[in-house]
Amino acid sequence: MQRRTFLTTAIAAGALAAAKDSPAQSSPSAEPREYYQLRRYLPIRGSGEKLCADYFEHNLIPALNRRGINNVGVFSVDIGPLTPTLYVLLSSTDLTKLVNIRGELAKDDDFMKASASFWAAPASAPAYSRVESQLLVAFTGHPRLTPPPKGKRIFQLRTYESPTDRDHTRKIEMFHSGEFEIFAKAGARSVFYGDTLIGPRTPSLTYMLTFEDMAHLEDTWDKFRNDPDWKKLSADPRFSFEQIVNSIDNLVLHPADYSQI
């Protein structure tokens, strides 16, 4: 067995095993859950930003679509600690496909030729300074990515870190105990909810909401915080026995013109 095949198979097997024991598997779901690969690119300002945009729009997204990875999201950070930053979101119910996608693209001669300015950029003028990646599995209560209707919109990407696995499990249980419904009642549109299987900071979960604009975002969160059902849920002893979330990352993003989400 070739080394690359062995490694990708081992990663996929390990992630599948982790997903079976994941706290996101807390309730049955007839619909298979998706896996998410969330990439964070730190492009070189100016020339690198253009290289990334051209590559994502004209090479990467079409190649992913041809391989059955659809609804590819590309977003830039409007409000967050690092700019420029680009997020690319891939989703599939086939974990092996997500794990192997980079190697599959590298074997596609036509793709490699078309994307040479990005893939083969010289070390003295790269498109980006670093790429970070997370692998997540969808919550059973929201097993598939839900793209919003096209139109003017912003996105909020939130990551919750918990101090222990027990606390992380309780936080995911909290979503399945009514938090999804409270978000919807307040006016938020959910895009995805993912439990981190592989990533730099675990245990953690990441989810994405979408809004018409900042005024809509702020109004929705005011409604959420003041909702009697939220106050009741957050005071439930199952979730209030200690601080089950000890760190929150909160980013506001806008989609690229060519983003499929």
Side-chain angles (χ1 to χ4, degrees):
M1 181 180 292
Q2 294 182 349
R3 182 174 182 272
R4 177 180 293 175
T5 302
F6 171 79
L7 288 174
T8 53
T9 302
I11 291 170
L16 280 168
K20 290 178 181 178
D21 296 328
S22 164
Q25 191 67 31
S26 58
S27 62
S29 173
E31 191 172 11
R33 291 185 293 162
E34 288 184 321
Y35 295 89
Y36 305 119
Q37 188 182 121
L38 183 62
R39 302 178 184 176
R40 185 178 79 149
Y41 288 80
L42 302 179
I44 303 302
R45 188 176 295 277
S47 61
E49 291 176 278
K50 186 178 187 309
L51 274 175
C52 286
D54 288 345
Y55 169 67
F56 296 152
E57 179 177 9
H58 301 296
N59 305 123
L60 181 62
I61 291 178
L64 293 172
N65 291 168
R66 289 194 298 270
R67 288 163 174 80
I69 297 177
N70 300 307
N71 293 322
V72 179
V74 180
F75 313 90
S76 60
V77 173
D78 283 343
I79 300 176
L82 292 174
T83 57
T85 299
L86 298 171
Y87 280 88
V88 178
L89 177 64
L90 282 58
S91 61
S92 178
T93 55
D94 186 341
L95 175 60
T96 303
K97 182 181 291 186
L98 282 185
V99 170
N100 287 320
I101 192 61
R102 181 173 294 167
E104 291 300 313
L105 292 176
K107 293 187 292 185
D108 184 331
D109 292 339
D110 291 337
F111 169 82
M112 292 300 291
K113 182 178 179 180
S115 59
S117 61
F118 179 88
W119 272 64
S124 59
Y128 54 84
S129 61
R130 190 57 52 203
V131 181
E132 298 174 355
S133 184
Q134 290 175 261
L135 179 66
L136 307 100
V137 61
F139 288 9
T140 55
H142 197 102
R144 296 292 185 98
L145 184 149
T146 310
K150 293 295 183 181
K152 181 182 176 184
R153 63 206 185 282
I154 61 172
F155 293 81
Q156 190 174 34
L157 187 69
R158 292 171 65 84
T159 297
Y160 294 173
E161 296 179 43
S162 293
T164 68
D165 286 315
R166 177 185 65 169
D167 294 331
H168 175 63
T169 301
R170 292 292 177 87
K171 182 56 197 174
I172 291 181
E173 182 185 348
M174 195 173 185
F175 277 96
H176 290 84
S177 298
E179 197 163 346
F180 293 132
E181 292 77 12
I182 299 169
F183 271 132
K185 185 168 49 167
R189 182 182 291 272
S190 298
V191 179
F192 79 88
Y193 295 84
D195 182 7
T196 305
L197 298 175
I198 300 173
R201 299 174 301 174
T202 58
S204 67
L205 63 90
T206 296
Y207 67 97
M208 178 180 277
L209 307 173
T210 184
F211 307 89
E212 295 173 5
D213 50 32
M214 282 300 298
H216 182 208
L217 182 153
E218 292 168 359
D219 178 65
T220 297
W221 277 104
D222 282 342
K223 291 177 179 176
F224 180 90
R225 283 188 289 265
N226 293 309
D227 191 300
D229 290 334
W230 169 247
K231 292 180 179 180
K232 180 180 178 181
L233 180 64
S234 59
D236 189 312
R238 288 180 298 163
F239 312 121
S240 62
F241 66 97
E242 66 179 13
Q243 186 170 306
I244 61 175
V245 173
N246 62 344
S247 176
I248 298 176
D249 279 0
N250 182 34
L251 304 176
V252 175
L253 317 174
H254 77 262
D257 292 340
Y258 51 84
S259 177
Q260 295 178 329
I261 298 175

